[in-house]
Amino acid sequence: MTRTGFYPGSFDPVTNGHVDIITRCANLVDELVLGVGVHPGKKSLLDEGQKISLLQTVCGPISAATGMNIRVETFDDLSVSAAQRVGASVIIRGLRDATDFDYEVQMGQMNAAMMPNIETVFLTASPATRMIASSLVKQIARMGGDISSFVPPEALQMVSASLNTKS
Ligand code: ADP
């Protein structure tokens, strides 16, 4: 039986923290679907197409190294509904700190109440990437800071290009 996981997020942009979680999913599932959440009202730096192509590029080597099949999908409904649609039995979430914990546990429990057949699995952030948040990465990049140690090289390029276009 193929075990499928669903890892939802904004991925605006994908960071080394996301990459850490994605790579470690190979210990848990055979197939991972990355769910790029699309919220029309929410302003993001990268558009849907950029996020998808970036995730595909970054995940190619992870897939090759681990044997885990990785797909990228967008969704604009509940993450549990999207998880069910793609055939996932587990939703993966990363935990960085107590703020993540409080929010994620509550959300995980409400998701479980709605869809008891889907388990949420929490992976604690690795020490080297625990402090990374997409929101801070964007803020640093907008102010001319160096984000190269926080994101994969392909994301660095895309973020720089995007900021140049928008400025
Ligand atoms: P962010 O919270 O940085 O804007 P997302 O909304 O894309 O990123 O987050 C998607 C999931 O990835 C969430 O479960 C979040 O807790 C997790 N995550 C984000 N950054 C990290 C990190 N540095 N280490 C571990 N998990 C992370």
Side-chain angles (χ1 to χ4, degrees):
M1 192 187 93
T2 302
R3 189 172 286 280
T4 301
F6 183 67
Y7 179 31
S10 312
F11 304 108
D12 187 42
V14 59
T15 68
N16 291 341
H18 296 127
V19 169
D20 171 60
I21 298 290
I22 293 167
T23 307
R24 289 163 56 201
C25 281
N27 298 321
L28 302 170
V29 296
D30 310 298
E31 178 183 58
L32 185 66
V33 181
L34 302 176
V36 176
V38 179
H39 308 288
K42 210 171 149 187
K43 242 178 75 187
S44 65
L45 173 67
L46 304 180
D47 65 31
E48 216 176 296
Q50 288 175 310
K51 289 180 188 179
I52 294 170
S53 76
L54 190 52
L55 281 168
Q56 284 170 339
T57 308
V58 167
C59 290
I62 302 174
S63 205
T66 61
M68 177 176 64
N69 185 31
I70 306 177
R71 288 192 283 130
V72 186
E73 305 260 347
T74 57
F75 72 102
D76 62 3
D77 53 349
L78 292 173
S79 54
V80 270
S81 307
Q84 192 177 49
R85 195 165 52 244
V86 302
S89 52
V90 289
I91 292 176
I92 309 285
R93 300 292 287 172
L95 293 181
R96 286 164 289 195
D97 53 22
T99 308
D100 273 355
F101 179 85
D102 288 343
Y103 174 71
E104 297 288 349
V105 168
Q106 186 179 15
M107 194 165 73
Q109 288 174 342
M110 292 188 80
N111 282 341
M114 290 185 281
M115 214 79 80
N117 57 325
I118 297 180
E119 288 290 342
T120 300
V121 173
F122 301 107
L123 296 182
T124 51
S126 294
T129 50
R130 191 185 149 198
M131 71 300 191
I132 304 173
S134 295
S135 53
L136 289 176
V137 162
K138 281 182 281 193
Q139 207 171 321
I140 293 168
R142 283 194 182 106
M143 300 182 84
D146 178 9
I147 58 165
S148 58
S149 48
F150 307 134
V151 298
E154 300 86 352
L156 175 64
Q157 272 178 16
M158 202 174 273
V159 167
S160 308
S162 233
L163 287 174
N164 284 336
T165 317
K166 285 178 182 171
S167 64

